[in-house]
Amino acid sequence: LNSAEWTRTRVWGQIAMAHTLAPYLEVIRHTLNAALCLQNYPSQVVERQSRPEIEFKDTAAVVPKPLVIARDENEKCLIEPSVNSVRVSIKVRQSDDTEKLLCRKFAGFFTQRAEHFVILRRKPVEGYDISFLITNTHLEEMMKDRIVDFIIEFMEDIDKEIKDLKIALNTRLRAAAAAYMSQFSQRG
């Protein structure tokens, strides 16, 4: 392998790198399809309750190691499977302060409306921008393929929306700056 091929295929721990969006999303799709084989699992600590093992981690034997799928250091997806739930956390690429602000506002908009998005967590996992929690009861009510499609489509759209918002913001700032500067050129 030459150095360019090595850079494209390098693996750091459990972080696999991908340089285009399609293979990155396809790997996430296949991993989610495999991880979403959930079943009812009553709590081993609290009697007569079934709660998401990935959230409480009461029984270490039913919570395997989490998987990190990364496009690069700034854009990655954490998939934490367990016997009765899966937590999917997404870190959106943010190249500058404007994109960080827009991403934070965009994620805040969604988390405030988490009751409308049944699988959305109100608080993301630390180090990630947005998180989903899928339990076995969600899979009883909804189709697995539709849930996976929703997450993949969400990942495609959030990146596109942030870029579009940044372009619109820059356009408005440019127009405001031109209007402000025109005041000085008229006086002279």
Side-chain angles (χ1 to χ4, degrees):
L1 292 175
N2 63 28
S3 63
E5 289 173 348
W6 170 249
T7 303
R8 274 186 245 119
T9 58
R10 135 178 71 186
V11 175
W12 296 330
Q14 292 183 353
I15 301 176
M17 305 298 272
H19 288 288
T20 60
L21 189 61
Y24 170 67
L25 294 176
E26 199 60 31
V27 168
I28 292 171
R29 179 183 302 277
H30 288 300
T31 307
L32 283 174
N33 276 324
L36 287 176
C37 296
L38 306 176
Q39 64 183 14
N40 187 27
Y41 186 79
S43 174
Q44 302 296 306
V45 178
V46 182
E47 190 173 326
R48 292 186 174 168
Q49 284 192 10
S50 179
R51 56 190 197 174
E53 285 293 325
I54 198 64
E55 293 286 311
F56 297 99
K57 297 186 177 161
D58 294 333
T59 312
V62 297
V63 181
K65 286 185 176 182
L67 303 165
V68 177
I69 303 167
R71 190 169 178 207
D72 59 31
E73 294 83 18
N74 300 321
E75 186 175 10
K76 56 188 173 181
C77 177
L78 173 68
I79 300 174
E80 300 172 281
S82 74
V83 69
N84 66 350
S85 58
V86 174
R87 185 167 50 200
V88 180
S89 302
I90 302 166
K91 181 166 177 56
V92 180
R93 180 183 308 216
Q94 301 159 26
S95 57
D96 59 11
D97 290 337
T98 305
E99 285 186 6
K100 287 179 185 173
L101 174 73
L102 289 172
C103 184
R104 193 171 59 242
K105 294 292 184 183
F106 206 70
F109 173 82
F110 280 110
T111 55
Q112 287 176 353
R113 291 152 183 83
E115 64 273 357
H116 298 295
F117 300 96
V118 179
I119 60 172
L120 184 66
R121 290 183 80 223
R122 286 203 178 274
K123 187 173 183 214
V125 172
E126 190 174 328
Y128 290 86
D129 300 311
I130 201 151
S131 293
F132 299 97
L133 177 67
I134 305 157
T135 63
N136 63 310
T137 55
H138 292 136
L139 291 180
E140 292 169 1
E141 299 167 2
M142 298 179 263
M143 295 175 61
K144 178 173 94 169
D145 294 335
R146 296 257 173 114
I147 292 174
V148 172
D149 290 342
F150 170 77
I151 291 173
I152 298 298
E153 193 172 312
F154 183 86
M155 291 177 73
E156 290 173 339
D157 291 347
I158 194 169
D159 192 40
K160 192 180 338 169
E161 287 294 326
I162 288 172
K163 299 244 184 289
D164 290 346
L165 285 170
K166 183 178 178 184
I167 290 169
L169 179 66
N170 286 338
T171 304
R172 289 175 64 188
L173 287 173
R174 192 175 300 114
Y180 179 74
M181 295 305 287
S182 69
Q183 294 174 356
F184 297 112
S185 64
Q186 292 173 356
R187 292 182 186 170

